[in-house]
Amino acid sequence: MDKSLEKVLTRWLKQQKSACGFYLNLTVLFGVFTGLALVLQAYLLATMLHGLIIDDQPIEAFSNQLYLLGAVIVLRALLAYGRERVSFIAGMRLRHQIRQTVLDKMTELGPVFIKGRPAGSWASIVLEQVEDLHDFYAKYLPQMMLAGFIPLMILAVVFPINWAAGIILLATAPLIPLFMILVGMGAADANRKNFSALSRLSGHFMDRLKGLNTIKLFNRADSEVKAIETASEAFRERTMAVLRMAFLSSAVLEFFAAVSIAVLAVYFGFSFLDHLNFGHYGAGLTLFTGLFVLILAPEFYQPLRDMGTHYHAKAQAIGAAEALMALLTYQAPDSDNDLPAIKLPYQGERAPSIVMKDVVVQTAQGVRLLGPLNLCLTHGEHIAVVGPSGAGKTTLLNLLLGFLPYQGSVLVNGIELRELDRVSWRQQLAWLGQEPQLFHGSLRENVAMSDPHMSDETIMALLEKAKVRPFVDSLKLGLSHPIGEQSAGVSVGQAQRICLARALGQKAGLYLLDEPSASLDSHSEKAVLEALTQAMQGASSVMVTHRLDTLKAMDNIVVVEGGKIVQQDSYQQLLAQEGLFAAMCHTQVSSLDEVQS
């Protein structure tokens, strides 16, 4: 990975630590107290052993030290438990906030942006990559601070009693972080490639799972199995590369820590044999000094070894942060750089008027999708948008929903759309698409999404308007009937009418309808259209449809082809003109005649 990119990602990760609250500092504080307790424990052990072995004192003379030693051991255990517990809470708070921020960002960018990547890759970001940030905040950051404090504290108590031991500790300490850095240089890049492979595998697998019936229908199962196998093998290789890095770094750190402690033990061994006579300020080397320093020696290197162990967590977090930072810092392009910092709330009549002047709708990458458009929607007017597939009909709805950038002017009650507060504006909208989207939960929760406190009587009234109440009355659990993933538990027609009831509960001023009856049978289609006609009285609407026989009641029809408006008038006027609309009507009537014959 490029070093400049790694520094940027590390800086971004550290900027997020405020989400951990005071728990991060509390983790460090517990670590500091643990360090003080281990120094006291080493002092008590060395004092007792020196007295028992050298001074030949009875064990009863150290009863107070024994009680104190037991208390220190218990205290260290409690501090270790508290540190683990608090560090977990710190990481949990961070994950919760990052995941919420990611979901909010995805909501802000909208479905057009989200559909640019496979659903599995988004699942990988929201679940896997956010989870992999945990150890960076729960373990690595606190350990980085403790790796500096605890060794310095031990050096501060070792140097006054033996300067040679202090120099050995000071000289060998840099070996561990040095080799940790050398081994870990490729770890971040390996993790980044691993996450990329996981994202591809997740997207590949979920897309094939969603299209399983189509794959079987066209007898493509064997080829897709091979494709999934190839993606899985790539992910396996990346994972093994990461594991090799982790095991290698641990082995190297343990080796150099053992060598450093061995050097210290050799010094004391030769000093006790009178082969070395320096380091003790001329006061003579005592058993207390040797034991005290040797007991502290493993604890001196332990924070550095722990930091090396958790360095893998840093590499893992950097690998995960690349996609997260790219998403959270992404700004949709906008042609107007002088937008007000404070957006205006929606104001005006319930049914808005919309005036478009020379509007060009773009993708997030700045590619033109639709336009230039000049269109006017008056208060309470109903407009239908028709045209061949790919002409840009749904793009117009996404523009009004605020999910696509544009050039030109879109005035909503005289206020520019991009200057409106999105939440306030979307509260005036009701959207109903061709693929009904119900969520895991009860039927009641799905209908009352706009108002969680909606009464059962109101919900039943909405279901009545949507022509689906008889179905709900037939259910054993009624409004508590569970809805599974992908609208499991209800038919497409029932799901569409439940979605309609949800839309009716928003009391919207503008209905945006994207092929609302495309996936319905004739009976369900008639019920949905009747309910919509009643609900949209006093409201405005823009409906995208291929069903040209349902357009007679619309006030205005806009015909779109190749991203431009080619015709615009009433149903009767367009039918009397030569052009795309008349040709489409003729083709559709001919197709119906063939089907009936």
Side-chain angles (χ1 to χ4, degrees), residues 74-238:
V74 172
L75 177 63
R76 283 191 64 188
L78 292 175
L79 288 171
Y81 172 78
R83 181 182 166 193
E84 287 293 324
R85 186 70 181 167
V86 170
S87 67
F88 177 81
I89 295 174
M92 180 183 67
R93 286 168 61 93
L94 183 283
R95 285 183 286 120
H96 179 269
Q97 178 162 317
I98 292 290
R99 185 169 284 121
Q100 187 62 54
T101 305
V102 167
L103 293 174
D104 289 344
K105 186 68 176 183
M106 291 173 68
T107 302
E108 175 191 339
L109 293 173
V112 177
F113 179 84
I114 292 173
K115 286 181 179 179
R117 296 176 60 174
S121 66
W122 291 118
S124 175
I125 289 176
V126 174
L127 298 174
E128 297 287 343
Q129 298 192 29
V130 173
E131 285 295 320
D132 284 321
L133 298 180
H134 177 86
D135 284 350
F136 178 80
Y137 297 93
K139 298 183 182 298
Y140 179 76
L141 281 184
Q143 194 59 45
M144 237 178 63
M145 303 177 196
L146 293 174
F149 176 80
I150 292 179
L152 289 176
M153 181 181 65
I154 291 176
L155 286 175
V157 298
V158 168
F159 262 108
I161 60 176
N162 193 289
W163 59 263
I167 289 176
I168 292 173
L169 291 174
L170 188 61
T172 55
L175 290 175
I176 293 178
L178 174 63
F179 282 92
M180 173 191 74
I181 293 171
L182 291 175
V183 172
M185 282 180 67
D189 191 50
N191 274 280
R192 182 179 61 82
K193 292 178 180 177
N194 184 54
F195 281 123
S196 178
L198 175 60
S199 179
R200 287 195 299 271
L201 176 61
S202 300
H204 193 92
F205 182 74
M206 184 167 287
D207 285 349
R208 269 55 182 180
L209 194 63
K210 290 170 69 176
L212 193 58
N213 291 333
T214 305
I215 291 171
K216 289 183 176 179
L217 182 64
F218 288 93
N219 196 28
R220 299 291 298 171
D222 291 340
S223 62
E224 292 302 327
V225 166
K226 291 179 181 178
I228 292 176
E229 184 180 350
T230 301
S232 301
E233 180 63 20
F235 177 63
R236 185 194 68 80
E237 291 177 357
R238 298 297 185 191

Side-chain angles (χ1 to χ4, degrees), residues 499-519:
C499 289
L500 174 59
R502 179 171 63 201
L504 298 178
Q506 295 178 240
K507 299 178 181 179
L510 175 61
Y511 283 80
L512 301 177
L513 311 172
D514 188 3
E515 302 278 6
S517 60
S519 56

Side-chain angles (χ1 to χ4, degrees), residues 237-422:
E237 291 177 357
R238 298 297 185 191
T239 302
M240 294 307 297
V242 172
L243 290 175
R244 281 196 298 271
M245 288 283 186
F247 288 131
L248 178 61
S249 61
S250 297
V252 168
L253 296 179
E254 291 294 333
F255 172 75
F256 282 102
V259 168
S260 302
I261 294 172
V263 170
L264 196 61
V266 167
Y267 162 73
F268 279 113
F270 279 100
S271 295
F272 284 128
L273 293 172
D274 293 329
H275 294 299
L276 297 175
N277 188 25
F278 62 89
H280 39 72
Y281 302 103
L285 184 64
T286 64
L287 181 63
F288 167 81
T289 302
L291 288 173
F292 182 64
V293 175
L294 287 174
I295 291 172
L296 286 179
E299 305 297 343
F300 175 84
Y301 297 107
Q302 189 61 46
L304 298 172
R305 290 156 65 188
D306 288 342
M307 187 176 71
T309 301
H310 300 322
Y311 188 81
H312 179 69
K314 177 191 175 184
Q316 194 174 36
I318 289 175
E322 186 175 15
L324 287 169
M325 189 183 78
L327 173 64
L328 296 179
T329 58
Y330 177 83
Q331 294 294 329
D334 203 310
S335 60
D336 191 346
N337 296 322
D338 300 322
L339 295 178
I342 300 176
K343 299 297 184 72
L344 300 173
Y346 175 83
Q347 295 177 345
E349 298 183 31
R350 170 174 170 258
S353 68
I354 300 174
V355 179
M356 299 183 186
K357 295 180 181 178
D358 301 323
V359 174
V360 175
V361 188
Q362 302 171 321
T363 65
Q365 291 74 34
V367 179
R368 186 183 75 86
L369 293 174
L370 182 65
L373 299 177
N374 288 283
L375 184 63
C376 180
L377 174 70
T378 59
H379 298 289
E381 186 179 10
H382 302 293
I383 291 181
V385 183
V386 299
S389 297
K393 302 183 297 296
T394 302
T395 300
L396 179 59
L397 298 186
N398 284 319
L399 165 67
L400 295 174
L401 287 164
F403 292 137
L404 285 172
Y406 66 91
Q407 294 177 340
S409 175
V410 180
L411 297 177
V412 179
N413 291 343
I415 301 174
E416 190 63 44
L417 176 60
R418 61 167 68 94
E419 296 179 6
L420 278 176
D421 176 66
R422 288 184 177 179

